[in-house]
Amino acid sequence: MRQFDKYLQDKLKNKEFCQAYNDNCNICQTVWEIVDTFLNTGKSYADLAVETGISETELLDFAEGDNCQAHIINTLCQKFNIPLPAYCPRFTF
């Protein structure tokens, strides 16, 4: 996933890509912060699943940017005391 970060940084230099990314994002700064905060706890995804009620599969997919859902963002932001994003397209669906 970290290789994706390098690719994303290159793509973010393109204005058209930035607009499309903002309209259809899956991995935003908040997701990065959630995943990094979780990884720094040293806990397993199984542990986090038990603590949050979110399935381990959903958490693994979320961390890879494949399952960004409002309920996951809300739950994990609350758990890790991370502010909710000011704008998130996931909250509008």
Side-chain angles (χ1 to χ4, degrees), residues 28 30 73 77 82-88 91:
C28 66
T30 301
I73 295 168
C77 280
I82 295 170
L84 288 172
Y87 169 76
C88 177
F91 295 139

Side-chain angles (χ1 to χ4, degrees), residues 40-70:
N40 286 329
T41 69
K43 294 182 180 184
S44 69
Y45 285 98
D47 292 337
L48 186 60
V50 169
E51 293 173 8
T52 63
I54 301 168
S55 77
E56 187 175 354
T57 301
E58 285 181 306
L59 291 169
L60 287 164
D61 288 346
F62 176 79
E64 292 298 319
D66 294 330
N67 188 29
C68 190
Q69 297 179 35

Side-chain angles (χ1 to χ4, degrees), residues 21-26 28 70 73 85 87-93:
Y21 178 78
N22 286 328
D23 291 343
N24 300 292
C25 73
N26 283 320
C28 66
I73 295 168
Y87 169 76
C88 177
R90 300 296 173 220
F91 295 139
T92 60
F93 299 110

Side-chain angles (χ1 to χ4, degrees), residues 1-2 5 21 26-41 45 48 62-63 72-73 76-86:
M1 187 157 117
R2 297 298 173 199
D5 188 42
Y21 178 78
N26 283 320
I27 301 177
C28 66
Q29 186 62 38
T30 301
V31 172
W32 281 110
E33 188 174 352
I34 290 168
V35 172
D36 285 343
T37 300
F38 164 68
L39 292 175
N40 286 329
T41 69
Y45 285 98
L48 186 60
F62 176 79
I72 295 173
I73 295 168
L76 297 178
C77 280
Q78 184 176 13
K79 172 159 185 58
F80 295 120
N81 198 29
I82 295 170
L84 288 172

